[in-house]
Structure formats: C-alpha cells, structure tokens
Amino acid sequence: MIKNLIWICLSALFLSACSDVNKQYQSEEQAQQALHSLNQFLRPTSNSTSASVSESQWPFSDAYLKERHTIYQAMQSLELAPVDKHLLDYLIIAERFPQRYFSWPVYIPVLENMLEYNQQQDISAGIAGWIRFTQQQLVSAQESKLRLNSIELTALQMQVAKSLAGDDLPAIIKQTLTDFNVFLASYTPRGSAGLHGLSNGGPWYQSKLNYFSGTTKAPINWLVAVQSQLQASQQEVYSLNLAIDHQHSVLEQRFAQSKNQPHGFDWAQNYHNLSSSAQQVAAGLSDEERTFWLTMMETDLGIHYHAWTVQQAKVNLLKRLKMTPQQVDYLVADIIFYPAQSFAFATLLTTP
C-alpha cells in the first residue's frame, strides 16, 4: 500500500512537471523564441537579447544543456510539420554526442558576441568564468580521448589572438584569455581531421548524414553513389563568392539571397532549414554546380569517414574543380566545421 502511494505521488510530480514545461511552450513560435534566447551568444538574433544574462545562456554549460533538453522535450508534444519533426529528432539525437566538450565552436565568434553584449551590460565576470569553463572542458575532453584537430585549434587560436589585440578588453577577461591562450599554445591536436577520429565520432557523422540527406545509408554506400555520378565528370570551374570567415557555412551562403528561406530552429544552420532549401533547387543546378556539390560530398566522406588528411582532401578538390589554393583551404575548413551539410544535395545522386 505504501509503495503504491509513493508511486502515485512520484507520478503526480512527474506529470505536473511535464505539464509546467508544456505550458511554457504551447506553440512552435514560443519554443523557437526560447531557443533564440538560449543561443544568443552562439547565434545572435534581433529577438534573442534579454535584459540580463541567465546561467543557461552560457554555451554548453550544465544549465544550458538542461534548458535546451527541456525545450526539445516540450517541442515533442507540439504538432510539428514533418520537416520540423525531422529536424527536432536530429537535434535530440545530437544531445548524445560530445559537442558539449567543445563549448566554443571554433567557427563562431562566441567571445566577440559576448563582448558586444558586454558594452550594454557588464558581464565581464561571467565571460571570464565561461572562458575558464571552456578550458576545463577541453581538459576533460582529453581525458575522454576527445581533442580538437589542427584546423579547429588554429581557428580558435586566431579568435583568441584577435580578441587579445582589441582595445578596451576588461582586465579580468584579458587575464583569463591570456591564460587560455597559453593553454592552447601547449595543446596537442588529434591526428585525424574528421569526426571519425573522435570517440563516438562515427555514429555522430552517421546521424548528420541521415539528417541532411533525408535517407539512412552507410557512408560507404554514399561514396559508391557519389563516385559513380562523378565518373564521367571533367574538371569544372564553379564561381564561388565565399565569406571571409566561417560563421556561415558554404551551404548557407549558397542560399543567402533566397527570399523564401524555410524556417528552422537549429542555431548551427542559422535557424534555416538548409536541407529543404537544397531539395527545392537541386533539379535546376548547372552542370558546374552539380559537380561542385558532388565533389564536396566525396571530400566530406573522405575527411569524416575515410580519415583523409587535409592534404588528401585538398588534392581531391583540385582534381575535380578548377579553383585557387585559397578557395581549396576554405572549402576543406568548411567541410571540417560543417560535416555532411553538402548531403543536403543528396537528391543529385538519384537524378540524371
């Protein structure tokens, strides 16, 4: 009898908690706004700023991870369009993988975003604390056999150096960032550039392939399909207008001028649904662009599945495409920072 009463009480508390969460996010729009606010330092938006910074807004902190999980769980009870449900499933699966150890995504100017906010409201102590947290996460990651690769490490060092060279950096941040810079100088990156070089990186890459392609298929099968399409292709010239930095992927840059961009809720895609955008235009691509995206897929698989070196990836791009060394460097970094995004054009593998 007592056991039954305890079970009933616990069940009531659980249902009450779930009910409170669902009341917080009764629509997809409310949940999206919550994610915008949560990720304001990762991807600032016009409606993501708040009067004060809560503990959950420091990227990949324990409070951040808990709040993000709460929002995702609440969204599961909403009536979402199939494309949004597919995205939500992908984001929930991604919670299993080790991104939390890399709290500063090296392609995003997180510290710059924080410093810009600091001009409105003094959060210097919080920023310094987050930098220390980031360093500790990298230390913990090493203990779990997780390391940045050389491209990621260089990108992070460049961001740190840029901030240290800036004017009017608050003393507490400057000291903490200087210590972090010393730590990075002695950091040993992993040998493999791709996700396959990380513990649990293979399943993480597979989840990204599944999401962006919209189909579950093993990497080796994708490679056979891609190379079959490229077999008769000649070296092509594809005109690229690339950004200076990498905070927007090449795929996102492809659709930067689109007026009918589908909406999403993944900060890494800048809150757009890039897979839907690619599917809408895939059938109308020129031969040059078709070869470009197929080559990006092939190189993506090479880096993240076959553990190609950076040099092997560059050679492959140059074999398929006529481009400058600077463009090749940019594309290799893009593939490393945004694994599997090129597979948004996977429909090219089923069309002549």
Side-chain angles (χ1 to χ4, degrees):
M1 180 68 178
I2 294 176
K3 288 183 178 179
N4 289 339
L5 285 173
I6 292 174
W7 173 250
I8 291 171
C9 291
L10 289 174
S11 298
L13 286 172
F14 175 77
L15 292 173
S16 175
C18 291
S19 176
D20 289 342
V21 169
N22 291 336
K23 285 179 182 178
Q24 278 185 285
Y25 311 111
Q26 294 181 334
S27 69
E28 185 175 347
E29 290 72 22
Q30 287 179 342
Q32 286 174 344
Q33 288 174 7
L35 287 171
H36 289 178
S37 177
L38 184 72
N39 293 306
Q40 68 169 334
F41 293 136
L42 291 168
R43 190 72 72 177
T45 64
S46 58
N47 61 349
S48 64
T49 56
S50 57
S52 60
V53 175
S54 70
E55 184 181 355
S56 65
Q57 288 168 309
W58 299 108
F60 300 99
S61 64
D62 289 342
Y64 170 95
L65 295 175
K66 182 178 179 181
E67 180 63 17
R68 186 183 66 177
H69 181 74
T70 296
I71 297 171
Y72 288 168
Q73 292 302 305
M75 293 184 75
Q76 286 191 299
S77 67
L78 301 176
E79 291 186 12
L80 301 175
V83 67
D84 291 334
K85 180 64 167 63
H86 182 51
L87 174 57
L88 179 62
D89 290 343
Y90 162 69
L91 294 175
I92 289 174
I93 290 172
E95 290 184 285
R96 307 173 191 171
F97 298 114
Q99 187 177 22
R100 63 187 177 277
Y101 284 108
F102 307 112
S103 53
W104 186 340
V106 301
Y107 49 90
I108 296 292
V110 184
L111 183 56
E112 283 188 25
N113 296 338
M114 290 178 175
L115 292 174
E116 184 174 345
Y117 187 91
N118 196 59
Q119 294 176 2
Q120 307 170 33
Q121 179 181 330
D122 186 6
I123 55 170
S124 299
I127 295 174
W130 180 80
I131 295 170
R132 288 191 292 270
F133 166 76
T134 296
Q135 180 172 327
Q136 184 54 54
Q137 286 294 89
L138 289 175
V139 171
S140 298
Q142 292 180 71
E143 296 169 357
S144 300
K145 298 182 179 179
L146 299 167
R147 291 177 177 272
L148 298 170
N149 62 44
S150 59
I151 299 291
E152 293 166 333
L153 176 59
T154 298
L156 186 53
Q157 287 175 310
M158 289 176 64
Q159 287 208 48
V160 170
K162 181 180 178 182
S163 293
L164 283 173
D167 297 329
D168 302 324
L169 193 64
I172 186 175
I173 297 176
K174 187 171 184 176
Q175 181 59 57
T176 307
L177 197 58
T178 299
D179 293 342
F180 185 46
N181 197 36
V182 172
F183 166 78
L184 293 178
S186 63
Y187 185 94
T188 302
R190 73 178 189 269
S192 174
L195 286 185
H196 210 66
L198 289 174
S199 176
N200 214 22
W204 195 8
Y205 183 53
Q206 182 70 64
S207 75
K208 291 176 179 291
L209 282 174
N210 296 349
Y211 169 70
F212 283 105
S213 70
T215 305
T216 300
K217 188 181 293 187
I220 188 62
N221 294 333
W222 280 122
L223 185 63
V224 170
V226 170
Q227 292 184 333
S228 176
Q229 289 281 333
L230 283 170
Q231 193 170 17
S233 298
Q234 297 181 346
Q235 192 181 46
E236 296 280 5
V237 176
Y238 176 56
S239 179
L240 289 170
N241 294 312
L242 298 171
I244 296 174
D245 57 32
H246 287 276
Q247 61 179 305
H248 303 285
S249 69
V250 170
L251 182 62
E252 186 191 339
Q253 292 174 48
R254 167 61 175 78
F255 299 106
Q257 304 304 318
S258 174
K259 295 180 180 179
N260 298 311
Q261 184 77 289
H263 196 64
F265 38 87
D266 177 14
W267 69 264
Q269 297 183 69
N270 200 17
Y271 301 116
H272 298 308
N273 194 311
L274 298 176
S275 294
S276 293
S277 296
Q279 290 169 16
Q280 290 172 15
V281 304
L285 296 186
S286 65
D287 290 343
E288 294 78 11
E289 188 173 7
R290 180 187 179 89
T291 298
F292 172 79
W293 286 110
L294 288 170
T295 301
M296 288 289 283
M297 291 183 220
E298 182 184 36
T299 311
D300 198 298
L301 289 163
I303 291 173
H304 294 293
Y305 177 66
H306 281 300
W308 283 1
T309 65
V310 169
Q311 187 58 36
Q312 284 175 305
K314 291 179 181 180
V315 168
N316 191 67
L317 288 168
L318 287 170
K319 178 180 72 174
R320 302 287 191 189
L321 305 168
K322 293 180 181 178
M323 54 178 53
T324 67
Q326 292 77 19
Q327 289 174 322
V328 168
D329 289 345
Y330 190 97
L331 294 180
V332 170
D334 183 84
I335 290 169
I336 289 171
F337 297 154
Y338 297 96
Q341 280 206 8
S342 55
F343 279 83
F345 283 104
T347 53
L348 293 176
L349 303 174
T350 58
T351 55

